[in-house]
Amino acid sequence: MKSNEEPDMPVTGIMRVGEVAIRVFDLEESRQHYDKRMGLIETHQGDDDKVYYKCPDEHDLYSLVLRKADQPGIDYVAFKTARDSDLDDFAERLRAFDIEVEHVPANTYPASGRRIKFNLPSGHEIHVYAEKEQNGNGMPLRNPGTIPDEGYIRGFRTVRLDHCLLGGTDIDANAKIMMEVFGFTMSEKLVAHENEMSLALFLTTSNKPHDIAFVLQPEGNKFHHVSFLLDSVNDLYHAADLIGKYNIAVDVAPNRHGVTRGATIYFFDPSGNRNEVFTGGYVHYPDTPTLVWDTTELGKATFSQDNTVRPSFLEVLT
Ligand SMILES: [Fe+2]
């Protein structure tokens, strides 16, 4: 297995969301949606009712796992960290929070190095790993040029997996763990104007406005959406045209979030899992102050081009 060499640079800790695993009813229907329509690349099918995909500009072998199941929703989110030794440091810090940590041997998950695995207070299963086989992004590593061979970028022209939003209880406790154990910073939060209760928390471990976010829900372990980056607003409109052409169920047509300032479309896969494609948003640094929205501006915080609260966006989760 070609593994990622330990980077000789001052990056420590979590680099990004490396993998999201979601449940779908039907693998063929899902293949049509994620591969043929959205343009993700199927890398392989496991012998375990799972299909693995990547986006065109990702080097790692896969970033999205679909598992055939009776219920849609999320199985787990996996973060990729810079160094193998980070895994032991994180496990130690999680124990200080009384969180049980499972050590998973290499290759339990395909093409993946060892992992640690645990559940957040909201019930969501989280993995962290440092190594995964890489098979490139369709361009050579020396004199790569700027675009891969024709045909590599298809459908919605997704660039990469970007972030996900999880719904659950105890989101303040989730955020505390992500910040104190893994070094995330809080880029933005949405609070109730009457009592400052946290309603949605946006956390980043990079220059992105968020890598993961949590939204308060009455039930734990819920899935709001997985999001894929596009290059431009032109590509966002191209995706919107294909969504219309193929009668994909739309939740929110093109708009711009107040939170993160990303231009966005929300739609559903054939199993009812929400997907997002987005582009833009600001650059975050660790010293950027946390931005706070309250519910007096809920419409603008969510969809800033019409300042309209959409109940389906807030209430439909898998
Ligand atoms: Fe999003």
Side-chain angles (χ1 to χ4, degrees), residues 3-295:
S3 67
N4 320 118
E5 286 172 17
E6 303 226 330
D8 183 22
M9 54 185 179
V11 173
T12 52
I14 304 287
M15 297 187 290
R16 60 177 176 274
V17 176
E19 186 179 321
V20 173
I22 59 182
R23 300 186 295 270
V24 297
F25 291 130
D26 184 279
L27 292 178
E28 273 316 309
E29 262 184 4
S30 303
R31 199 170 250 136
Q32 179 84 353
H33 176 80
Y34 287 97
D35 186 319
K36 299 285 180 295
R37 302 301 187 229
M38 291 187 68
L40 273 67
I41 298 162
E42 181 177 331
T43 59
H44 63 288
Q45 178 161 6
D47 50 9
D48 47 5
D49 279 341
K50 290 181 186 167
V51 186
Y52 298 78
Y53 295 87
K54 67 186 291 177
C55 293
D57 201 20
E58 292 173 337
H59 288 274
D60 284 6
L61 184 63
Y62 62 92
S63 58
L64 177 72
V65 185
L66 303 182
R67 179 172 72 86
K68 183 174 158 58
D70 296 334
Q71 289 284 330
I74 189 143
D75 277 345
Y76 64 83
V77 176
F79 293 97
K80 191 175 190 190
T81 194
R83 294 179 173 84
D84 183 75
S85 58
D86 293 343
L87 301 178
D88 300 317
D89 296 340
F90 293 146
E92 197 56 45
R93 285 188 226 167
L94 284 165
R95 268 183 226 111
F97 276 83
D98 280 334
I99 290 178
E100 209 173 301
V101 179
E102 188 183 332
H103 291 265
V104 182
N107 292 313
T108 305
Y109 294 86
S112 169
R114 70 184 179 113
R115 296 184 175 199
I116 58 168
K117 185 168 155 179
F118 65 97
N119 291 94
L120 285 170
S122 59
H124 295 95
E125 182 176 315
I126 304 292
H127 301 185
V128 186
Y129 62 94
E131 294 187 352
K132 189 185 278 183
E133 185 180 329
Q134 296 193 322
N135 69 341
N137 63 351
M139 295 191 279
L141 297 179
R142 184 176 177 124
N143 301 325
T146 57
I147 57 171
D149 293 340
E150 284 174 64
Y152 201 73
I153 296 177
R154 303 170 286 111
F156 292 8
R157 304 172 186 156
T158 58
V159 175
R160 58 170 161 75
L161 172 69
D162 190 85
H163 65 267
C164 58
L165 174 55
L166 306 177
T169 52
D170 297 315
I171 62 172
D172 286 309
N174 280 3
K176 189 173 163 66
I177 289 164
M178 297 312 290
M179 294 167 79
E180 292 184 13
V181 173
F182 299 108
F184 283 64
T185 52
M186 191 176 293
S187 53
E188 304 201 37
K189 63 177 175 176
L190 170 71
V191 300
H193 75 277
E194 323 84 54
N195 57 12
E196 299 292 308
M197 182 171 65
S198 300
L199 300 178
L201 302 173
F202 300 83
L203 299 162
T204 178
T205 183
S206 64
N207 283 140
K208 289 149 52 178
H210 59 334
D211 290 278
I212 190 163
F214 300 107
V215 61
L216 186 66
Q217 290 288 311
E219 232 185 300
N221 203 19
K222 303 298 280 185
F223 177 54
H224 189 279
H225 70 267
V226 59
S227 185
F228 302 93
L229 179 72
L230 304 181
D231 259 340
S232 67
V233 168
N234 284 346
D235 282 353
L236 195 80
Y237 261 74
H238 173 72
D241 284 335
L242 292 179
I243 286 168
K245 177 180 173 74
Y246 293 117
N247 297 304
I248 293 170
V250 176
D251 185 26
V252 184
N255 209 307
R256 184 182 298 280
H257 289 304
V259 174
T260 76
R261 301 185 209 148
T264 179
I265 310 171
Y266 287 98
F267 51 97
F268 294 100
D269 78 4
S271 306
N273 294 301
R274 187 185 281 98
N275 299 154
E276 178 186 31
V277 285
F278 88 101
T279 187
Y282 54 78
V283 174
H284 175 89
Y285 295 98
D287 66 339
T288 306
T290 302
L291 306 177
V292 182
W293 297 80
D294 67 44
T295 41

